[in-house]
Amino acid sequence: MQATTPVGDGTTALIGAELVRLVKLLVAMRQHMPAAHPGVDHTHYPVLFAVAAGPMRVSDLAGCAHSDVSTVSRQVSHLVTHGLLAKLPDPDDRRAHRVTLTDEGRAVIDRAVAARGAWLASVMADWTDADARDFLHDLDRFATALETAKAGYERAVR
């Protein structure tokens, strides 16, 4: 088994700077992304994509969307008004509701995924499939490390 060498301070500083650059570019590019629905803006997608996994309570949805319950509740109300989500009685607690995706909500997600795929294909036009798969592997590894760190921070706060 090969011994691992910890990541050095210089490398983490460079990664940090590139992540800041990446986030700024992604935020700047939002305005150029095609709209999948006139009633949906970039803040609604985490909610839509989380609900796509299956019906859930707003409180659970907030955790999945990495947002607070009041914000997600407002977003859910907005998306219900636009016919993209529906509220159904919770079978485990009739006083509560679960949020579910409507057929139109599913169509919005499908259009958003297709548009995102086309956009990424254009951005990565000079990459090979192997380059993209390597990037995907590293991106997944980094996201998993972030999720693990987040869970550790949340446990420490409790």
Side-chain angles (χ1 to χ4, degrees):
M1 185 187 241
Q2 186 177 2
T4 59
T5 305
V7 179
D9 291 345
T11 303
T12 57
L14 291 170
I15 291 170
E18 285 302 307
L19 286 173
V20 168
R21 177 177 161 223
L22 176 64
V23 169
K24 286 181 177 182
L25 282 165
L26 288 171
V27 168
M29 291 300 293
R30 276 197 311 239
Q31 67 185 348
H32 302 290
M33 291 296 296
H37 186 281
V40 178
D41 71 36
H42 69 277
T43 65
H44 297 121
Y45 286 107
V47 171
L48 283 172
F49 277 85
V51 173
M56 62 181 72
R57 289 180 175 197
V58 170
S59 57
D60 296 328
L61 182 53
C64 292
H66 306 293
S67 192
D68 62 88
V69 174
S70 63
T71 298
V72 170
S73 181
R74 284 190 303 276
Q75 291 172 329
V76 165
S77 294
H78 176 84
L79 294 168
V80 166
T81 300
H82 282 85
L84 306 176
L85 297 179
K87 290 183 180 179
L88 304 172
D90 187 328
D92 299 327
D93 180 353
R94 291 287 183 194
R95 298 168 297 169
H97 288 88
R98 289 186 185 218
V99 179
T100 189
L101 206 56
T102 64
D103 290 342
E104 179 60 19
R106 168 52 58 202
V108 166
I109 288 174
D110 291 346
R111 287 192 300 269
V113 168
R116 180 177 60 201
W119 176 72
L120 284 170
S122 71
V123 168
M124 301 169 83
D126 63 343
W127 292 37
T128 66
D129 191 62
D131 291 339
R133 288 185 183 281
D134 288 345
F135 178 65
L136 175 61
H137 171 78
D138 292 339
L139 192 59
D140 178 63
R141 184 175 174 203
F142 184 73
T144 299
L146 277 176
E147 289 171 341
T148 300
K150 180 180 179 289
Y153 297 143
E154 289 170 349
R155 278 192 303 276
V157 172
R158 291 183 199 145

